[in-house]
Amino acid sequence: MMGRQASGQDRLFYSFNLEDHIPQNHLLRGIDRCLDFAGLREHLAEHYSQIGRPSIDPELMLRMLVVGYCYGIRSERRLCEELHLNLAYRWFCRLSLEDAVPDHSTFSKNRHGRFRDSGVFRWLFDEVVRRCMAAGLVKAEGFAVDASIVEADASSQRGVAGTESVDWKDPALSTRAVREYLEGLDAEALGKVLPKKISLTDPQASWTAATGGPAFFAYSTNYLIDAEHGVIMDVQATPAHRTAEVESTKLMVDRVQEQFGLKPERLIGDTAYGTAPMLSWMVDEKGIEPHVPVWDRTQRDDGTLSSNEFTWDEQAKEYTCPQGRPLRSQWRVFKIERSHITKADTVIYRASQQDCANCPEKQRCCPTTPMRKIVRSVHEAVRDVGRKIATTEQYECSRCQRKKVEMLFAHLKRILRLDRLRLRGLSGAMDEFTMAAAVQNLRRLAMRVPQGPPTQGTATPA
């Protein structure tokens, strides 16, 4: 016979325990075992007044943010609504069925105010990395680095040409993102280069079309990960500009060494990180093996001789062509010694015009110029180090491990839904990228160490 549901909403008293209704294999249970907010109040102490009404517990707001980033809930208003309805979210945030959920406006004010000023998001990220280290998920033998572009919360219709003058004193443009942009103009590393287009909503965002589609305003999230288990060791937000992305690597490597006392033996990256100055920084300054393709334009595709076919004499500081003729940086003695180093940190070596004119291989060597020239970087020695490493088996292994960074970016955009920013300004992008990276590490830690990491061994190395 057809059954009928018995009414179960007319009881006056209920015996209900949230703990009994959250599955043991639920993701939030694993994350909860990996989180430790013991030092949170001490970190935030100076940002709260000693008098007045008690505030909302900062641990509650951080737990709410972890839930939001873990499940791709980007809106703060919707996050508060979901927390009100979802039993697992309430359990994770230590709220009973009768406890009130913080108002979304209060939540936003703390997030964009004292949380940002106190650097609590970076504090949380570092604590999660320490717990990954305590769980044995960080080998620190090899790090991989890469960047990914994320669209900014700025419409292309609210942009002006970089050469157009803008009245930034206009009250209509007086926003936090604009104020941050104006404060950082003097320290802007790329300030000498006029951007093609500037956003009036978020001036720090870069106008880019790097993905091959239509141009848009964007930021780049830069990850430095441990190559063994893919733990994110550091994250940095930059404008979507190749130079800024590469330079952020130095900041991240130095910061990991300072915070955790770790320095990799090898650094893995793509061709963008294989420039001569970057290779020099890795080899000469940091003592790190560069497992990156060397940025090299010496190969020719027109059938003429490439510079690789010329022999370099380190003692004489000159090249020798296949016919045995020298190429030198100078052919006469100057009263005042010259370095011959150009603004691009290169030295140009030239053959004798007479030697080239009488050479039987001139048409294969320099058919359109009276003499052959070779441009050599002052960092050519470290470029040779990179070329030598590229022939090893370890290098082939590194190329496979580099894909772990791409997998994290795919997870960031498709699972965590961070394919477009909601916060504006470089500081807003930094907040979002840092929280997302912390959550990615928490998910990995919860899945690989279900029982939670040990409580010892999480302190910062001396």
Side-chain angles (χ1 to χ4, degrees), residues 277-298:
M278 189 65 185
L279 292 171
S280 177
W281 176 81
M282 293 185 207
V283 177
D284 296 335
E285 293 188 31
K286 305 301 292 186
I288 300 174
E289 290 186 2
H291 285 236
V292 299
V294 178
W295 183 275
D296 197 349
R297 294 184 177 181
T298 58

Side-chain angles (χ1 to χ4, degrees), residues 121-182:
F121 301 124
R122 172 60 63 172
W123 174 87
L124 175 63
F125 175 83
D126 290 343
E127 288 298 311
V128 174
V129 172
R130 291 190 182 98
R131 296 188 73 79
C132 290
M133 293 167 56
L137 297 184
V138 177
K139 188 177 180 181
E141 183 271 332
F143 286 174
V145 63
D146 206 352
S148 183
I149 293 175
V150 179
E151 186 177 358
D153 184 26
S155 171
S156 59
Q157 298 178 354
R158 284 275 294 166
V160 298
T163 55
E164 183 177 335
S165 61
V166 180
D167 182 14
W168 295 110
K169 297 182 180 180
D170 186 352
L173 300 179
S174 181
T175 62
R176 177 187 55 79
V178 171
R179 290 195 297 271
E180 287 183 3
Y181 168 72
L182 297 177

